[in-house]
Amino acid sequence: MANNYHPATMSPTNLRLSEMHQVFLEAVCADLDENSDGTFYVYWSEGFSDNAPDDYDLKEAVSQKRITSDEAGFLANSTFYEMLRHILIQNPEHSHIRIEGAYYCTKMRPDEFGGQAMVVTRTHYAWMGTTDLHVGEDGKIKADIKIEEFK
């Protein structure tokens, strides 16, 4: 049997994270390593997820008094990219957040390897995967980068 993996890293590696941000990142399976200055290095060792936190994670965080019910509501109604933007706004010394991830498998077979990249600024977010790089019908190399503006 083959195993698939999807580790990822976030930079910069010295982000200040509120308790609400920590709850959000933990709910999307992120690992948080606290630096000596109280900032955090964020990465995904087990598998990257950009899904919104589920109600169970948020209710548990409220019951533990890690976040308020208003903050839980904010998290439940925010996209992954909106939360990264929120983290970035709380870290004005940084111009962007970047996440780079890999896809790999323990069995050597086609389409089981690749990666992704995403960038979030205060106004836009963009992402692409290695499958978004291809050769068009005209024989020229194309890159389908998705760029969206925050509303």
Side-chain angles (χ1 to χ4, degrees):
M1 182 173 139
N3 294 312
N4 292 302
Y5 298 96
H6 186 192
T9 60
M10 182 188 296
S11 58
T13 58
N14 61 336
L15 293 167
R16 286 184 311 284
L17 300 174
S18 69
E19 192 69 23
M20 180 182 71
H21 296 144
Q22 292 175 51
V23 166
F24 165 75
L25 289 166
E26 290 165 1
V28 296
C29 303
D31 299 295
L32 307 175
D33 283 352
E34 189 167 3
N35 300 316
S36 61
D37 64 356
T39 62
F40 286 86
Y41 167 50
V42 181
Y43 62 97
W44 288 260
S45 58
E46 295 297 319
F48 175 76
S49 170
D50 61 359
N51 295 324
D54 63 30
D55 285 340
Y56 174 80
D57 293 324
L58 297 177
K59 287 178 183 175
E60 184 177 345
V62 170
S63 73
Q64 295 171 347
K65 299 192 182 333
R66 292 185 66 196
I67 59 174
T68 67
S69 57
D70 286 345
E71 289 172 323
F74 177 75
L75 290 174
N77 293 307
S78 298
T79 68
F80 182 77
Y81 299 101
E82 289 168 338
M83 280 311 303
L84 292 181
R85 178 185 186 210
H86 195 268
I87 291 169
L88 185 59
I89 289 169
Q90 302 302 312
N91 288 269
E93 68 278 16
H94 299 299
S95 64
H96 66 282
I97 290 176
R98 182 178 66 239
I99 296 177
E100 298 172 277
Y103 302 108
Y104 67 95
C105 181
T106 56
K107 186 173 182 178
M108 300 298 282
R109 54 188 170 184
D111 297 326
E112 291 297 324
F113 299 89
Q116 69 171 32
M118 63 181 71
V119 175
V120 175
T121 69
R122 287 170 181 76
T123 59
H124 292 81
Y125 57 99
W127 71 97
M128 72 173 288
T130 51
T131 57
D132 295 321
L133 187 61
H134 57 92
V135 177
E137 290 180 18
D138 59 2
K140 293 183 180 179
I141 297 173
K142 312 272 185 196
D144 296 329
I145 301 173
K146 295 120 186 123
I147 301 173
E148 300 286 335
E149 186 173 2
F150 286 108
K151 301 201 184 337

